[in-house]
Amino acid sequence: MKFSKRFKSILPVIGLAALYGLIMLLKSMGIANNYHIQILMFAGVNIMMTLSLNVVNGFTGQFSIGHAGFMSLGAYGSAIITTLILKPSVIPASMEIPVFLLSLLVGGLVAAMVGYLIGLPTLKLKGDYLAIVTLAFGEIVRAGLRLIEPIGAARGMIGVPNYANLAWIFLFVALTLFFVRNIIYSRFGRAWIAIRDNEIAAEAMGIDSTRYKIISFTFSAFIAGVAGGLYAHVVSFIQPDTFSFVKSSDLLVFLYAGGSGSLTGSIVGALLLTSLPEALRFLASWRLVIYALVLVIVMLYSPKGITGGYELPFLRITRKDIYENRGKKISETPLQETKEGDV
Amino acid sequence: MTTFFQLLIYGLQLGSVYALLALGYTMVYGIVGMINFAHGDFLMIGALSTVFLAMAFMNTSSAALSAIQVITIILIAMIGTGLIGVLVEAIAYKPLRDRPRMTALITAVGVSMFLQNFPRALPFIGPNPRPFPRLFPLVQLNLGGVTITSTQLIMLGLSIILMVILYFIVNKTPLGAQMRAVSMDKDAALLMGININVIISLTFFIGAALASSSGIFYASIYPQVDVYMGSWLGTKSFIAAVLGGIGDIRGAMLGGFILGISEIFATSINSNLGYMIGFIVLILILLFKPAGLLGKFSIEKV
Amino acid sequence: MATILSVKNLTIKFGGLVAVEDFSVDVQEGELLAIIGPNGAGKTTVFNMLTGIYKPTSGSIEMDGKNLVGMRPHQFAAHGLARTFQNIRLFHNASVVDNIKMAYTLHSSEKFFPALMRTESVVEQEWELDMEVMRLLKIFNLDQQADLLSKNLPYGPQRKLEIVRAMMLKPKILLLDEPVAGMNVAEIDEIASLIAQIREKFKMTIILIEHHMNFVMPIADRIKVLDFGKTIAEGNPGDIQKNPKVIEAYLGGGYHAIA
Ligand SMILES: Nc1ncnc2c1ncn2[C@@H]1O[C@H](COP(=O)(O)OP(=O)(O)OP(=O)(O)O)[C@@H](O)[C@H]1O
Ligand SMILES: [Mg+2]
């Protein structure tokens, strides 16, 4: 009992480590090259971004279509720390990691704070109106960044130290999954899902919808900010126009094509759709045509996304887990497996 | 003062482009309840097809285009784009009518990507911007230091005519009555024997045709056409529709002109500010009027 | 018996329509008050005002000496007013258990950061909550469907689940909007005994809207009759049944439900 409980919780960690080992092995054998690794890192950042969007759109049922704005705040926030405030040349090697982590935290906090501040007045807006405000927010941030000369204005920032390697990306994706899963299966996640499924009933059942929407928005913005910080330290070069509406709509595509309201869906969507355009490069200018067609066909024929609402076992917490975690059996209550994802 | 009037004229000219494009957003939203993110691309299709039509006409007549030819070109471009709009709806949106709104929105993003990248991939179109032909004669009028070109006058005149026609169709004809019925209550409209599919197709036709005309007008002022021009003009016009009160035709016109004018004035200060101003105006308006200037919320029946 | 809810002169207008006019009532602890009336009389609108979903044009809703008018619906819930909906409003993509857990949000003491880490104490709280929900489901005979998505429940059990969900709020007053609408005879009996059980076990005060006279008459302590937004009669079931105004309103509305 005890052992199996332990095993279940470390299994994903072992799996992830094995995957990382495999990639490194492929790299040392010359099968995977730096280009592949680079794409994998982008995919990791995109997974985090998609999870972040999933919290707001998939679980809370709100429409953010300007999430690139939070990503850019995180990217700039953290890059300013490692590039402008502390110059890479003066940071001693031993301090690189703490500085890097601190910068990610700052990036996340900046994004979260802005998320909180814009959420406060706007989350009362309904559906599409909220969507358009988030779009406006994203574009205002982008145009605003283009105006600030010390951070390179429209030219952007170059020379951001490339601290983020594949191992860091793996770690942060895993942490994000862990945190998002935990929160979804808590009071907070349940409140979000209640608001998503029926806001009037949620309110009538004592759920302060504005408050929980703001929590959702702020949490989501924090993840997006950290992801943005990682991104900056992968590419070494950030520019306001990288975080345009095109970026936001890419993220929406990852989310809904993968399957919104499912963590597995976010992983699959971001991973697949980040690598698909790369894999299609041989098609030259027809590449995005095919990509667009694939997207429309997925939306038309698979409304729940590619994963169809499936959730990997370690990305959900069932009632059985709740009991087994405490070493208890639930003999007196029958347990059926919920077929579709239960969120 | 002359600068003010000069800017106002530029603002009105840009505003008419936004207004025409915003009408399509607002009509589709009012009737189908979806945000058609591919709507801006109809503008591009209108402008691009005009380039090719003009080339074809020039080849045959070799001289400059006559007024009849220009009118023919505009009509063909509008009708053609309208039909593409109908086709897009039938293929991509119709199957999604009863699905969550986000599904339709994402599909629209896919459609938009397709509409931009398909012509881009075609060898005879490609990614490079191309010049737009002169459709209207160039005459400049000088009114006390303020310059007005014939293009501006024709454009403003034509867009006002188009908007009046649309307003008349929607509010004064049996067809318009049916459209309004569908937008209010689809089930009831169905019971009254209205063919909803026809009304929706028609809405897309009108919206895309108007977008096409706005593309022609836009390219007449900034005579350069490329496959991506529709996406950001589309975003702006969508903003215009929302700030005017989405679903309301007068709101779209009002929003278009407000956006065009404020953008021109802000741009005269700083170009980034010009880009931002629309979004800022939008947020401010929504904070005080959550349904836009002319939009109304009804209390949801529980 | 003490008054736990005091409603005075509630009036609401939608445009030109006065949907409810001068609705007043003092609800006594432990009683079952029924509101009846023909279609469109304004019954649901009264509930919507009593739960903060509509804001009345005028009038007051007092509980614990406080006027609740102007508060948001979740605050009404926090003051102990829990309801069901005439058109079922479950959280359709959540399981039966989760639907009920969602109504516990208000009482839960789970904190954000511990929940993020899923600390031992959170696991403990989740376990206790699950046990409590299962006990409740067992009482109402829904435990066999605990892990089903609520949208996959048949119609009858969905209505029942709404009642159980409202009970999870641990309300002072339970408001039921046509709890047996669209049900067959066996299901109606089951709901009747369920309501009896709630009154007996939890000493619950209940306000109930219903069309079925033979359902209301035996269980109501007091009945208020609405017609076109106005209260046209009030009293015990026996008197109401004989009241000519009530008969007129119902027959006028084409009703044949009077037993
Ligand atoms: N949000 C609203 N906007 C406009 N009118 C409304 C609204 N809500 C209710 N009404 C109107 O108020 C009146 C009373 O409606 P209500 O739903 O309270 O009736 P009811 O007594 O519950 O009827 P039923 O037995 O059919 O449920 C109706 O005429 C209804 O159309
Ligand atoms: Mg009712």
Side-chain angles (χ1 to χ4, degrees):
Chain A
M1 198 69 226
K2 198 95 201 196
F3 178 74
S4 78
K5 171 190 159 188
R6 276 277 144 69
F7 189 65
K8 191 170 176 191
S9 64
I10 60 169
L11 196 60
V13 178
I14 295 177
L16 209 62
L19 188 63
Y20 182 75
L22 181 72
I23 293 164
M24 287 298 127
L25 186 72
L26 288 175
K27 192 181 172 214
S28 66
M29 284 161 51
I31 299 172
N33 55 31
N34 281 334
Y35 167 68
H36 295 133
I37 303 277
Q38 178 93 0
I39 291 174
L40 213 53
M41 291 205 276
F42 285 147
V45 170
N46 285 339
I47 291 175
M48 284 175 69
M49 284 305 301
T50 311
L51 287 168
S52 151
L53 194 61
N54 206 346
V55 167
V56 170
N57 290 32
F59 290 103
T60 319
Q62 307 303 302
F63 294 163
S64 167
I65 57 174
H67 246 57
F70 296 120
M71 189 180 180
S72 69
L73 289 173
Y76 272 92
S78 76
I80 286 171
I81 304 266
T82 56
T83 319
L84 293 182
I85 298 182
L86 307 163
K87 300 251 178 328
S89 51
V90 303
I91 301 173
S94 62
M95 286 306 287
E96 275 179 9
I97 290 177
V99 168
F100 173 48
L101 293 179
L102 175 79
S103 80
L104 292 180
L105 181 69
V106 170
L109 290 177
V110 169
M113 202 180 66
V114 174
Y116 176 79
L117 290 178
I118 69 156
L120 224 45
T122 56
L123 282 171
K124 290 191 190 98
L125 295 172
K126 296 260 173 279
D128 298 331
Y129 288 91
L130 176 65
I132 189 74
V133 167
T134 59
L135 185 155
F137 154 75
E139 291 300 287
I140 290 173
V141 169
R142 179 166 74 95
L145 289 173
R146 289 172 63 110
L147 284 172
I148 305 173
E149 196 49 51
I151 55 168
R155 299 178 311 280
M157 280 173 79
I158 50 169
V160 182
N162 53 351
Y163 292 150
N165 55 26
L166 189 62
W168 281 117
I169 300 280
F170 260 67
L171 179 72
F172 275 95
V173 169
L175 279 176
T176 309
L177 282 169
F178 177 71
F179 289 140
V180 173
R181 180 203 67 169
N182 287 350
I183 211 73
I184 291 302
Y185 292 91
S186 76
R187 150 162 94 122
F188 298 91
R190 282 194 295 266
W192 294 340
I193 292 165
I195 292 167
R196 176 195 70 185
D197 276 7
N198 198 319
E199 189 167 342
I200 288 176
E203 273 276 338
M205 291 305 123
I207 294 171
D208 183 346
S209 56
T210 309
R211 172 164 174 248
Y212 282 95
K213 281 186 209 168
I214 289 174
I215 296 175
S216 161
F217 219 63
T218 310
F219 176 55
S220 165
F222 180 82
I223 298 173
V226 173
L230 282 168
Y231 175 82
H233 292 88
V234 169
V235 291
S236 302
F237 165 54
I238 51 172
Q239 208 182 5
D241 290 354
T242 309
F243 308 99
S244 65
F245 178 62
V246 176
K247 183 88 197 167
S248 295
S249 61
D250 276 350
L251 298 170
L252 285 166
V253 168
F254 298 160
L255 175 66
Y256 290 91
S260 84
S262 144
L263 304 185
T264 316
S266 295
I267 302 176
V268 172
L271 206 57
L272 220 60
L273 295 180
T274 308
S275 26
L276 186 66
E278 302 298 331
L280 293 178
R281 261 188 201 285
F282 69 95
L283 291 169
S285 53
W286 288 97
R287 171 173 77 117
L288 289 174
V289 180
I290 305 292
Y291 182 88
L293 284 178
V294 170
L295 174 65
V296 171
I297 290 169
V298 167
M299 294 319 286
L300 286 180
Y301 295 102
S302 172
K304 285 187 150 188
I306 301 168
T307 54
Y310 173 79
E311 197 73 282
L312 288 165
F314 59 87
L315 292 180
R316 53 199 301 212
I317 299 171
T318 61
R319 294 183 50 234
K320 210 157 139 224
D321 297 326
I322 297 176
Y323 285 81
E324 282 179 1
N325 268 334
R326 303 192 74 265
K328 294 235 166 38
K329 271 254 178 283
I330 16 169
S331 47
E332 76 273 23
T333 62
L335 272 176
Q336 297 99 350
E337 268 299 312
T338 326
K339 283 290 180 302
E340 296 145 90
D342 52 0
V343 284
Chain B
M1 207 56 198
T2 43
T3 338
F4 175 83
F5 280 110
Q6 190 67 61
L7 289 176
L8 190 65
I9 286 171
Y10 290 138
L12 285 173
Q13 137 188 320
L14 185 60
S16 67
V17 171
Y18 287 155
L20 284 174
L21 199 53
L23 283 169
Y25 276 108
T26 232
M27 287 174 66
V28 168
Y29 189 90
I31 291 195
V32 200
M34 80 171 279
I35 302 172
N36 177 19
F37 256 104
H39 186 69
D41 298 306
F42 295 146
L43 171 148
M44 172 271 293
I45 293 174
L48 204 57
S49 53
T50 303
V51 171
F52 284 97
L53 285 168
M55 264 159 49
F57 276 87
M58 297 247 200
N59 276 347
T60 52
S61 67
S62 77
L65 293 164
S66 67
I68 301 289
Q69 282 176 323
V70 169
I71 294 173
T72 318
I73 289 174
I74 294 180
L75 283 179
I76 296 179
M78 283 177 71
I79 294 172
T81 313
L83 291 176
I84 292 177
V86 172
L87 202 67
V88 163
E89 195 277 331
I91 295 174
Y93 301 154
K94 199 182 205 166
L96 298 174
R97 266 183 216 160
D98 299 321
R99 303 257 201 86
R101 321 182 106 192
M102 263 290 160
T103 312
L105 189 89
I106 303 305
T107 310
V109 171
V111 168
S112 169
M113 260 168 122
F114 179 83
L115 292 179
Q116 289 168 18
N117 288 292
F118 184 70
R120 182 178 180 270
L122 290 175
F124 61 94
I125 299 180
N128 295 328
R130 50 182 70 229
F132 192 77
R134 174 178 305 289
L135 298 180
F136 310 118
L138 183 71
V139 182
Q140 288 199 352
L141 303 174
N142 199 314
L143 300 173
V146 181
T147 326
I148 303 179
T149 66
S150 49
T151 307
Q152 286 166 336
L153 284 178
I154 295 172
M155 229 183 96
L156 262 174
L158 284 181
S159 40
I160 289 170
I161 290 172
L162 284 172
M163 287 185 236
V164 170
I165 293 176
L166 179 74
Y167 194 77
F168 178 78
I169 291 178
V170 171
N171 288 300
K172 298 276 166 356
T173 64
L175 182 72
Q178 292 192 359
M179 292 173 87
R180 281 177 288 136
V182 174
S183 93
M184 271 186 256
D185 188 336
K186 275 203 195 58
D187 296 325
L190 202 63
L191 287 177
M192 285 158 59
I194 294 173
N195 188 334
I196 294 189
N197 287 333
V198 170
I199 295 295
I200 292 179
S201 295
L202 223 93
T203 305
F204 270 84
F205 180 86
I206 296 175
L210 289 175
S212 175
S213 70
S214 75
I216 296 168
F217 295 160
Y218 182 80
S220 298
I221 340 171
Y222 307 97
Q224 218 179 43
V225 177
D226 70 61
V227 294
Y228 298 120
M229 67 188 289
S231 77
W232 56 275
L233 282 169
T235 311
K236 293 275 189 59
S237 306
F238 176 49
I239 298 272
V242 176
L243 73 83
I246 195 157
D248 187 305
I249 288 184
R250 291 163 311 155
M253 300 179 195
L254 182 66
F257 284 109
I258 291 179
L259 191 68
I261 292 169
S262 52
E263 185 172 327
I264 291 291
F265 276 95
T267 306
S268 71
I269 302 168
N270 175 298
S271 68
N272 278 307
L273 188 66
Y275 184 77
M276 271 200 282
I277 192 77
F279 300 108
I280 295 174
V281 170
L282 171 85
I283 291 183
L284 289 180
I285 287 181
L286 287 189
L287 286 183
F288 295 103
K289 295 215 66 173
L293 288 175
L294 301 183
K296 271 201 218 77
F297 274 129
S298 51
I299 307 169
E300 190 182 346
K301 262 193 199 179
V302 175
Chain C
M1 281 215 284
T3 302
I4 57 169
L5 171 70
S6 176
V7 179
K8 290 199 184 73
N9 305 98
L10 277 193
T11 300
I12 188 166
K13 294 179 188 149
F14 296 111
L17 172 84
V18 185
V20 173
E21 195 176 346
D22 277 332
F23 181 90
S24 302
V25 69
D26 281 335
V27 179
Q28 306 301 314
E29 205 170 337
E31 80 167 324
L32 193 153
L33 169 74
I35 301 176
I36 64 171
N39 284 102
K43 306 179 296 293
T44 301
T45 304
V46 168
F47 269 24
N48 285 337
M49 291 189 284
L50 291 183
T51 50
I53 289 170
Y54 292 169
K55 189 173 176 235
T57 315
S58 62
S60 67
I61 301 169
E62 266 181 46
M63 243 180 135
D64 313 320
K66 237 185 278 161
N67 186 358
L68 305 187
V69 169
M71 291 188 182
R72 301 204 16 233
H74 69 89
Q75 293 168 306
F76 279 74
H79 277 91
L81 291 157
R83 70 176 292 177
T84 66
F85 293 90
Q86 184 173 355
N87 311 309
I88 299 177
R89 284 177 177 268
L90 286 169
F91 306 122
H92 280 292
N93 293 302
S95 68
V96 168
V97 199
D98 281 342
N99 261 274
I100 299 172
K101 288 181 183 171
M102 285 163 178
Y104 188 74
T105 307
L106 187 65
H107 302 289
S108 172
S109 55
E110 275 177 36
K111 296 276 176 296
F112 188 81
F113 288 100
L116 210 55
M117 304 298 297
R118 207 170 176 85
T119 57
E120 277 303 312
S121 90
V122 170
V123 173
E124 180 79 20
Q125 280 170 308
E126 286 287 309
W127 174 70
E128 274 166 10
L129 176 58
D130 198 84
M131 302 248 291
E132 186 177 341
V133 171
M134 286 314 292
R135 273 197 299 272
L136 201 62
L137 282 178
K138 198 152 192 148
I139 295 175
F140 297 111
N141 207 11
L142 270 170
D143 54 331
Q144 298 292 325
Q145 283 90 5
D147 290 293
L148 231 55
L149 291 190
S150 68
K151 68 174 169 204
N152 295 337
L153 281 180
Y155 178 80
Q158 286 201 7
R159 282 218 169 271
K160 204 159 84 173
L161 177 57
E162 268 214 340
I163 302 177
V164 184
R165 184 180 67 175
M167 286 298 292
M168 191 67 189
L169 264 175
K170 306 173 195 298
K172 296 195 182 107
I173 303 177
L174 184 63
L175 298 96
L176 306 174
D177 195 346
E178 305 204 16
V180 297
M183 289 187 166
N184 62 34
V185 179
E187 286 172 326
I188 292 178
D189 283 347
E190 197 187 337
I191 296 289
S193 72
L194 186 146
I195 291 175
Q197 219 180 347
I198 292 176
R199 296 189 72 188
E200 186 187 324
K201 266 212 179 68
F202 301 93
K203 307 280 173 257
M204 187 61 64
T205 311
I206 295 178
I207 308 179
L208 177 131
I209 295 176
E210 196 43 78
H211 276 315
H212 286 253
M213 289 296 197
N214 14 8
F215 179 79
V216 177
M217 291 303 163
I219 59 173
D221 299 316
R222 192 152 60 113
I223 296 180
K224 278 180 88 76
V225 188
L226 291 189
D227 192 21
F228 291 112
K230 293 197 182 74
T231 309
I232 57 165
E234 179 170 357
N236 65 42
D239 294 341
I240 292 294
Q241 223 158 353
K242 288 184 230 112
N243 190 318
K245 268 198 200 158
V246 178
I247 297 171
E248 164 66 25
Y250 266 77
L251 293 180
Y255 251 84
H256 44 262
I258 295 200

Coordinates of all heavy atoms in Angstrom, one line a residue, chain B residues 298-302, chain C residues 14 17-20 37-46 48 54 86 177-178 209 211 226 255, ligand 1:
Chain B
S298 N -29.7 42.9 -22.0 CA -31.0 42.6 -21.3 C -30.6 41.7 -20.1 O -29.7 41.0 -20.2 CB -31.9 41.9 -22.3 OG -31.3 40.8 -22.9
I299 N -31.4 41.8 -19.1 CA -31.2 41.0 -17.9 C -31.5 39.5 -18.3 O -32.6 39.3 -18.9 CB -32.1 41.3 -16.8 CG1 -32.0 42.8 -16.5 CG2 -31.8 40.5 -15.5 CD1 -33.0 43.4 -15.5
E300 N -30.5 38.6 -18.1 CA -30.8 37.3 -18.5 C -31.9 36.7 -17.7 O -32.0 36.8 -16.5 CB -29.5 36.4 -18.3 CG -29.5 35.1 -18.9 CD -28.3 34.3 -18.6 OE1 -27.3 34.9 -18.1 OE2 -28.3 33.1 -18.7
K301 N -32.8 36.0 -18.4 CA -34.0 35.4 -17.8 C -33.5 34.1 -17.1 O -32.8 33.3 -17.6 CB -35.1 35.0 -18.8 CG -36.2 36.1 -18.8 CD -37.4 35.6 -19.5 CE -38.2 36.7 -19.9 NZ -39.4 36.4 -20.7
V302 N -33.9 34.0 -15.8 CA -33.4 32.8 -15.1 C -34.6 32.0 -14.7 O -35.6 32.5 -14.3 CB -32.7 33.3 -13.8 CG1 -32.3 32.0 -13.0 CG2 -31.4 34.0 -14.2
Chain C
F14 N -39.8 45.2 -15.3 CA -39.0 45.0 -16.5 C -39.5 45.9 -17.5 O -40.6 45.6 -18.1 CB -39.0 43.6 -16.9 CG -38.4 42.6 -15.9 CD1 -39.3 41.7 -15.3 CD2 -37.1 42.6 -15.7 CE1 -38.7 40.8 -14.4 CE2 -36.5 41.7 -14.8 CZ -37.4 40.8 -14.1
L17 N -43.3 46.3 -17.7 CA -44.0 45.2 -17.0 C -43.7 45.2 -15.5 O -42.5 45.1 -15.2 CB -43.6 43.9 -17.7 CG -44.1 42.6 -17.0 CD1 -45.5 42.3 -17.5 CD2 -43.2 41.5 -17.3
V18 N -44.7 45.2 -14.7 CA -44.5 45.0 -13.3 C -44.6 43.5 -13.0 O -45.7 43.0 -13.0 CB -45.5 45.8 -12.5 CG1 -45.2 45.7 -11.0 CG2 -45.6 47.3 -12.9
A19 N -43.5 42.9 -12.9 CA -43.5 41.4 -12.8 C -44.0 41.0 -11.4 O -44.7 40.0 -11.3 CB -42.2 40.8 -13.2
V20 N -43.6 41.7 -10.4 CA -44.0 41.4 -9.0 C -44.3 42.7 -8.3 O -43.5 43.7 -8.5 CB -42.9 40.6 -8.3 CG1 -43.3 40.4 -6.8 CG2 -42.7 39.2 -8.9
G37 N -49.5 29.8 -8.3 CA -50.0 30.8 -9.2 C -49.8 30.4 -10.6 O -49.0 29.6 -10.9
P38 N -50.7 30.9 -11.5 CA -50.6 30.5 -12.9 C -49.3 30.9 -13.6 O -48.5 31.6 -13.0 CB -51.7 31.3 -13.6 CG -52.3 32.2 -12.6 CD -51.7 31.9 -11.3
N39 N -49.1 30.4 -14.8 CA -47.8 30.7 -15.6 C -47.6 32.2 -15.7 O -48.5 33.0 -15.9 CB -47.9 30.1 -17.0 CG -47.7 28.7 -17.0 OD1 -48.6 27.9 -17.1 ND2 -46.5 28.2 -16.8
G40 N -46.4 32.6 -15.5 CA -46.0 34.0 -15.6 C -46.5 34.9 -14.5 O -46.5 36.1 -14.6
A41 N -47.0 34.3 -13.4 CA -47.5 35.1 -12.3 C -46.4 35.9 -11.5 O -46.7 36.8 -10.9 CB -48.2 34.1 -11.3
G42 N -45.1 35.4 -11.7 CA -44.0 36.1 -11.0 C -43.4 35.3 -9.9 O -42.6 35.8 -9.1
K43 N -43.7 34.0 -9.8 CA -43.2 33.2 -8.7 C -41.6 33.1 -8.8 O -40.9 33.3 -7.8 CB -43.8 31.8 -8.8 CG -45.3 31.8 -8.8 CD -45.9 30.4 -8.9 CE -45.6 29.7 -10.2 NZ -46.2 30.2 -11.5
T44 N -41.2 32.7 -10.0 CA -39.7 32.5 -10.1 C -39.0 33.8 -9.9 O -37.9 33.9 -9.3 CB -39.4 31.9 -11.5 OG1 -40.0 30.7 -11.7 CG2 -37.9 31.8 -11.7
T45 N -39.7 34.9 -10.4 CA -39.1 36.2 -10.2 C -38.9 36.6 -8.7 O -37.9 37.2 -8.3 CB -40.0 37.3 -10.9 OG1 -40.1 36.9 -12.3 CG2 -39.3 38.7 -10.8
V46 N -39.9 36.1 -7.9 CA -39.7 36.3 -6.4 C -38.4 35.6 -5.9 O -37.6 36.1 -5.2 CB -40.9 35.8 -5.7 CG1 -40.7 35.7 -4.2 CG2 -42.1 36.7 -5.9
N48 N -35.9 34.8 -7.7 CA -34.7 35.5 -8.2 C -34.3 36.7 -7.4 O -33.2 37.0 -7.2 CB -34.9 35.9 -9.7 CG -34.8 34.7 -10.6 OD1 -34.2 33.7 -10.3 ND2 -35.4 34.8 -11.8
Y54 N -32.0 38.9 -9.3 CA -32.5 40.1 -9.8 C -32.5 41.1 -8.6 O -32.8 40.7 -7.5 CB -34.0 40.0 -10.2 CG -34.2 39.1 -11.5 CD1 -35.5 38.8 -11.8 CD2 -33.2 38.8 -12.3 CE1 -35.8 38.0 -12.9 CE2 -33.5 38.0 -13.5 CZ -34.8 37.6 -13.8 OH -35.0 36.9 -14.9
Q86 N -35.8 26.3 -11.8 CA -36.9 25.7 -12.6 C -36.3 25.0 -13.8 O -36.7 23.9 -14.1 CB -37.9 26.8 -13.0 CG -39.1 26.3 -13.7 CD -40.1 27.4 -13.9 OE1 -39.9 28.5 -13.4 NE2 -41.2 27.1 -14.6
D177 N -37.8 25.6 -6.7 CA -38.6 26.1 -7.8 C -39.1 25.0 -8.6 O -38.4 24.4 -9.4 CB -37.8 27.1 -8.6 CG -38.7 27.9 -9.6 OD1 -39.9 27.6 -9.7 OD2 -38.2 28.9 -10.1
E178 N -40.4 24.6 -8.4 CA -41.1 23.5 -9.2 C -40.2 22.2 -9.1 O -39.8 21.7 -10.2 CB -41.4 23.9 -10.6 CG -42.2 25.2 -10.6 CD -43.0 25.4 -11.9 OE1 -43.2 24.4 -12.6 OE2 -43.5 26.5 -12.1
I209 N -42.1 26.5 -4.8 CA -43.0 27.0 -5.9 C -43.5 25.7 -6.5 O -42.8 24.8 -6.8 CB -42.3 27.8 -6.9 CG1 -41.8 29.1 -6.3 CG2 -43.2 28.0 -8.1 CD1 -41.0 29.9 -7.3
H211 N -46.9 24.0 -9.2 CA -48.2 24.0 -9.9 C -49.1 22.9 -9.4 O -50.3 23.1 -9.3 CB -48.0 23.8 -11.4 CG -47.6 25.0 -12.1 ND1 -48.3 26.2 -11.9 CD2 -46.7 25.3 -13.0 CE1 -47.8 27.2 -12.7 NE2 -46.8 26.6 -13.4
L226 N -50.0 34.0 -6.1 CA -49.7 35.1 -7.0 C -50.5 35.0 -8.3 O -50.7 34.0 -8.8 CB -48.2 35.1 -7.3 CG -47.2 35.4 -6.2 CD1 -45.8 35.6 -6.9 CD2 -47.5 36.6 -5.5
Y255 N -56.3 26.7 -16.0 CA -55.7 25.6 -15.2 C -56.8 24.6 -14.8 O -57.9 24.9 -14.4 CB -55.0 26.2 -14.0 CG -53.6 26.0 -14.2 CD1 -52.8 26.9 -15.0 CD2 -53.0 24.8 -13.7 CE1 -51.5 26.6 -15.2 CE2 -51.6 24.6 -14.0 CZ -50.9 25.5 -14.7 OH -49.6 25.3 -15.0
Ligands
LIG1 N1 -35.2 39.0 -17.1 C1 -36.5 39.3 -17.4 N2 -36.7 40.3 -18.4 C2 -38.0 40.6 -18.7 N3 -39.1 40.0 -18.3 C3 -38.9 39.0 -17.3 C4 -37.6 38.7 -16.9 N4 -37.8 37.7 -16.0 C5 -39.1 37.4 -15.9 N5 -39.8 38.3 -16.7 C6 -41.3 38.3 -16.8 O1 -41.9 38.4 -15.5 C7 -43.1 37.6 -15.5 C8 -43.0 36.6 -14.4 O2 -42.2 35.6 -14.8 P1 -41.8 34.4 -13.8 O3 -40.8 33.5 -14.5 O4 -41.5 34.9 -12.5 O5 -43.2 33.6 -13.8 P2 -43.6 32.2 -13.0 O6 -44.6 32.6 -12.1 O7 -42.4 31.6 -12.5 O8 -44.2 31.4 -14.2 P3 -44.0 29.8 -14.5 O9 -45.0 29.1 -13.8 O10 -44.2 29.8 -16.0 O11 -42.6 29.4 -14.1 C9 -43.2 37.1 -16.9 O12 -44.1 37.9 -17.7 C10 -41.8 37.1 -17.5 O13 -41.8 37.2 -18.9

